């Protein structure tokens, strides 16, 4: 649409008095193309100066109105043409700015629910990028919406309640075609239970964890590391990967046969058991282990002096490099010979290393 410049009596002219109210005068300046007019007066200056003041206030929210005015006036460029009655005490105010265009992004809404069906109050959730370097944590509002760049993500959530802890993992969330909602409901969690051959053995350490292989070859760790599997639950959210995915589940721990007084010090028999489910997230895990499932390792440790305190440690790993995180030592007094039973058929276990350390 072209502007009509006929209201001006020539370039730089003045409208006729009959076209203006008695109190109104208006000057027209040379037109700028077909879409703009040059005009003067406070009606044009006010929005520009207001915008400049807003930009300064955003950068310096603690500044008073008086300081904002002083900075604008001091930084204004003096125009040598008009007199102060025409241009004011300052002159021309110019503000540099840029507009950052959002990359293609979509909303990801996370809804956290406890095992009682109510909104979860204590939780920690990590959203990690599979296609880009992105890591964001959520631990406050039970329903939270994140604005994320287009791509694929993995979600790892831990919901903590009285007597229960649930790990919920969605290996892949596809955020490439539109918004998505992920419901992290602890009621989906299934129990984790492992029974060893010696029913008198007691748990010493327990690990329910995941390894998330995300963008850039980074491996992040999530899950629970505690004294037993009592009250631990896990669940996969969403469909499982059709092939090996970015998440590996690790379940395992150590058990020891207590002595007559109930102590595990100098335990006669210990169990070191770990299972790795590479590329998948498990919904619960239950296993009853028999002696035929295990390989017996006899550990013979000597010492130059009797009664030296020591402890043993064990580490299991896979061919791809995933390994258990904790190896809780069972205190033993050297010299000693002890039997340790390790898992020989636990999925992807590549090797189990047992070490003995001298403490004093």
């Amino acid at each position: 649409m072209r502007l009509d410049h006929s209201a001006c009596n020539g370039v730089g002219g003045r409208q006729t008095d009959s076209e203006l109210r008695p109190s109104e005068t208006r000057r027209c300046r040379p037109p700028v193309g077909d879409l703009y007019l040059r005009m003067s007066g406070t009606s044009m200056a006010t929005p520009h100066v207001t915008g400049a003041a807003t930009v300064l206030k955003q950068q310096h929210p603690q500044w008073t109105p008086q300081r904002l005015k002083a900075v604008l006036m001091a930084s204004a460029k003096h125009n040598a043409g008009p007199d102060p009655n025409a241009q004011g005490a300052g002159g021309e105010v110019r503000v540099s700015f840029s507009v950052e265009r959002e990359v293609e992004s979509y909303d990801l809404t996370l809804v956290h629910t406890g095992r009682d069906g109510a909104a979860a109050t204590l939780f920690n959730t990590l959203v990690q990028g599979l296609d880009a370097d992105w890591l964001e944590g959520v631990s406050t509002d039970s329903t939270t919406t994140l604005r994320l760049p287009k791509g694929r993500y993995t979600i790892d959530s831990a919901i903590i309640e009285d007597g229960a802890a649930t790990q919920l993992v969605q290996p892949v969330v596809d955020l490439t075609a539109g918004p998505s909602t992920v419901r992290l409901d602890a009621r989906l969690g299934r129990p984790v239970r492992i029974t060893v051959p010696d029913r008198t053995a007691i748990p010493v350490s327990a690990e329910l964890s995941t390894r998330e292989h995300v963008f850039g070859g980074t491996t992040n760790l999530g899950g629970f590391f505690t004294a037993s599997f009592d009250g631990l639950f896990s669940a996969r959210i969403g469909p499982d990967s059709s092939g090996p995915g970015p998440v590996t589940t690790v379940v395992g721990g150590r058990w020891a046969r207590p002595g007559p007084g109930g102590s595990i010090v100098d335990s006669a028999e210990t169990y070191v058991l770990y299972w790795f489910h590479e590329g998948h997230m498990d919904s619960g895990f239950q296993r009853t282990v028999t002696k035929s499932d295990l390989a017996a390792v006899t550990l013979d440790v000597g010492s130059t002096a009797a009664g030296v305190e020591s402890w043993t440690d064990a580490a299991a790993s896979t061919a791809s490099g995933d390994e258990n995180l904790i190896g809780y030592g069972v205190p033993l007094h050297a010299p000693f010979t002890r039997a340790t039973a390790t898992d020989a058929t636990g999925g992807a276990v590549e090797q189990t290393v047992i070490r003995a350390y001298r403490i004093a």
Side-chain angles (χ1 to χ4, degrees):
M1 180 182 71
R2 299 172 61 89
L3 291 177
D4 183 7
H5 304 302
S6 61
C8 295
N9 295 331
V11 175
R14 176 174 177 149
Q15 289 180 293
T16 61
D17 292 340
S18 62
E19 295 173 350
L20 300 173
R21 295 190 297 271
S23 61
E24 181 182 15
T25 61
R26 182 181 301 158
R27 291 188 178 277
C28 294
R29 300 294 181 89
V32 182
D34 296 328
L35 301 178
Y36 299 96
L37 284 174
R38 292 184 184 273
M39 304 188 73
S40 63
T42 57
S43 295
M44 299 304 297
T46 298
H48 290 281
V49 176
T50 301
T54 301
V55 172
L56 281 177
K57 186 65 174 177
Q58 288 176 330
Q59 293 181 331
H60 307 282
Q62 74 278 11
W63 283 11
T64 63
Q66 292 77 15
R67 185 172 182 181
L68 290 171
K69 178 181 177 181
V71 170
L72 288 172
M73 293 181 64
S75 61
K77 179 181 178 181
H78 178 68
N79 191 334
D83 59 35
N85 291 327
Q87 70 171 327
E92 296 181 6
V93 173
R94 297 183 178 182
V95 178
S96 299
F97 71 94
S98 63
V99 176
E100 181 178 348
R101 183 178 179 181
E102 181 188 53
V103 300
E104 185 176 357
S105 302
Y106 299 103
D107 288 342
L108 174 64
T109 300
L110 304 176
V111 181
H112 300 80
T113 304
R115 298 189 66 81
D116 59 358
T121 57
L122 182 59
F123 57 88
N124 185 47
T125 300
L126 290 180
V127 179
Q128 303 166 87
L130 297 175
D131 301 323
D133 187 11
W134 193 278
L135 175 63
E136 188 159 352
V138 176
S139 59
T140 51
D141 297 330
S142 60
T143 298
T144 300
T145 298
L146 305 176
R147 187 71 172 173
L148 302 177
K150 174 183 177 181
R152 298 175 309 134
Y153 297 84
T154 183
I155 299 176
D156 186 335
S157 181
I159 298 180
I160 313 298
E161 302 165 273
D162 290 340
T166 306
Q167 184 182 21
L168 304 166
V169 175
Q170 179 151 345
V172 179
V173 177
D174 192 337
L175 212 62
T176 59
S180 180
T181 297
V182 175
R183 301 188 181 279
L184 300 164
D185 192 335
R187 292 173 295 181
L188 299 175
R190 298 294 178 262
V192 179
R193 296 192 184 99
I194 298 173
T195 303
V196 299
D198 188 343
R199 300 305 171 87
T200 64
I202 61 175
V204 176
S205 62
E207 176 176 344
L208 166 62
S209 65
T210 54
R211 309 294 183 270
E212 286 111 25
H213 305 286
V214 294
F215 178 79
T218 302
T219 299
N220 290 323
L221 180 70
F224 302 105
F225 309 89
T226 182
S228 75
F229 290 107
D230 292 343
L232 289 187
F233 302 84
S234 68
R236 181 188 68 249
I237 305 299
D240 197 6
S241 306
S242 57
V247 174
T248 293
T249 306
V250 182
V251 181
R254 177 181 291 238
W255 292 255
R257 180 195 300 167
S263 172
I264 62 171
V265 176
D266 293 328
S267 174
E269 186 168 322
T270 60
Y271 296 89
V272 180
L273 308 175
Y274 278 93
W275 290 265
F276 294 77
H277 195 181
E278 290 190 287
H280 303 276
M281 174 62 190
D282 292 332
S283 290
F285 184 90
Q286 299 190 47
R287 188 66 55 91
T288 298
V289 182
T290 65
K291 286 188 176 182
S292 62
D293 296 327
L294 303 176
V297 178
T298 299
L299 189 62
D300 193 353
V301 177
S303 175
T304 56
V308 173
E309 185 178 1
S310 60
W311 55 280
T312 59
D313 179 24
S317 65
T318 68
S320 61
D322 287 324
E323 61 181 15
N324 66 296
L325 182 67
I326 58 174
Y328 185 88
V330 174
L332 299 166
H333 291 88
F336 62 83
T337 299
R338 291 295 185 274
T340 298
T342 63
D343 176 37
T345 61
V349 174
E350 176 75 8
Q351 62 177 342
T352 301
V353 179
I354 299 177
R355 299 177 287 258
Y357 299 87
R358 173 174 173 170
I359 297 178

